[in-house]
Amino acid sequence: TKINSAQNILAKAVSLQEVHQVVALADAAAVYAKRINASRETTNSAAELRLRAQRKLGEMLKDTERAKGTRGQLQGSDDSGATKTEAPEESALTLAEIGIDYKLSSRSQILATVPEPDFEKAIETGLHGDLNPAAIMAKAVKQHKKEAKAQRKAIPTTPLPGDRCRLIRADIRDTNAVQ
């Protein structure tokens, strides 16, 4: 079947574009299986393929060099006071150039953070009933947020000096605004 061939392609995939094609194929297979009221086994296979492909995409994206954009383009001022710019260096491809949208990238990278045994357990549990990718993704997002919150709490903060500073004021008006 096409799902089996897509699983073989996923196993051999070494580039982001190849894995992205498998994600798209798995999405199409899941929609088609639902539309024709395919068996539970078929719909679960399509959902499993999608989850595995997204996880692999997330792992590959984590290891990929980030596109730098125009960072470092401004190089100060020249002798006349004009801004001196330099063309940005050739850098890694952007998500848009690869054809991956931000949401897919984000979700894939979150799925990649789920420990392998937990991921396999979630897949195995879902295969005995209806495999629900949204539920697995929601669980991964919840775990990711919990870990991010723990990291933020671990960052030491500098307390304000005793009684001297109880209120900090700032003037944040735009001085260039027309009044």
Side-chain angles (χ1 to χ4, degrees):
T1 65
K2 290 191 181 229
I3 292 176
N4 291 338
S5 64
Q7 288 171 336
N8 293 334
I9 293 170
L10 179 61
K12 296 175 185 174
V14 292
S15 73
L16 288 170
Q17 289 85 353
E18 291 172 335
V19 177
H20 183 250
Q21 285 178 336
V22 175
V23 171
L25 185 72
D27 282 341
V31 168
Y32 181 71
K34 203 172 204 178
R35 188 170 288 161
I36 65 167
N37 292 325
S39 68
R40 181 183 294 174
E41 182 182 340
T42 303
T43 55
N44 283 351
S45 293
E48 178 186 4
L49 176 63
R50 178 179 175 211
L51 286 168
R52 290 189 187 283
Q54 282 185 334
R55 181 177 172 85
K56 185 168 184 175
L57 182 68
E59 290 168 350
M60 293 174 84
L61 284 169
K62 281 175 131 182
D63 297 335
T64 303
E65 179 187 349
R66 301 284 186 248
K68 291 180 179 48
T70 58
R71 262 183 271 157
Q73 184 176 348
L74 294 176
Q75 302 295 320
S77 303
D78 61 11
D79 295 334
S80 67
T83 304
K84 190 167 64 172
T85 59
E86 197 172 291
E89 298 174 16
E90 289 296 318
S91 65
L93 295 173
T94 64
L95 290 173
E97 291 169 338
I98 298 170
I100 299 172
D101 68 339
Y102 175 80
K103 190 173 184 179
L104 175 61
S105 169
S106 175
R107 288 174 171 256
S108 298
Q109 289 181 57
I110 289 172
L111 262 180
T113 63
V114 176
E116 186 72 27
D118 294 348
F119 181 76
E120 291 301 327
K121 183 180 177 187
I123 295 265
E124 197 59 40
T125 302
L127 290 177
H128 295 301
D130 283 331
L131 182 59
N132 185 352
I136 293 173
M137 191 65 216
K139 199 174 193 180
V141 167
K142 187 176 181 181
Q143 180 181 347
H144 180 72
K145 285 182 178 180
K146 188 176 179 181
E147 289 170 1
K149 187 175 182 180
Q151 277 184 334
R152 283 193 305 272
K153 282 186 175 182
I155 297 173
T157 57
T158 306
L160 292 174
D163 291 330
R164 293 187 338 200
C165 298
R166 291 180 185 246
L167 175 66
I168 297 176
R169 294 172 135 204
D171 186 1
I172 56 172
R173 289 178 282 165
D174 186 2
T175 56
N176 294 327
V178 178
Q179 295 185 10

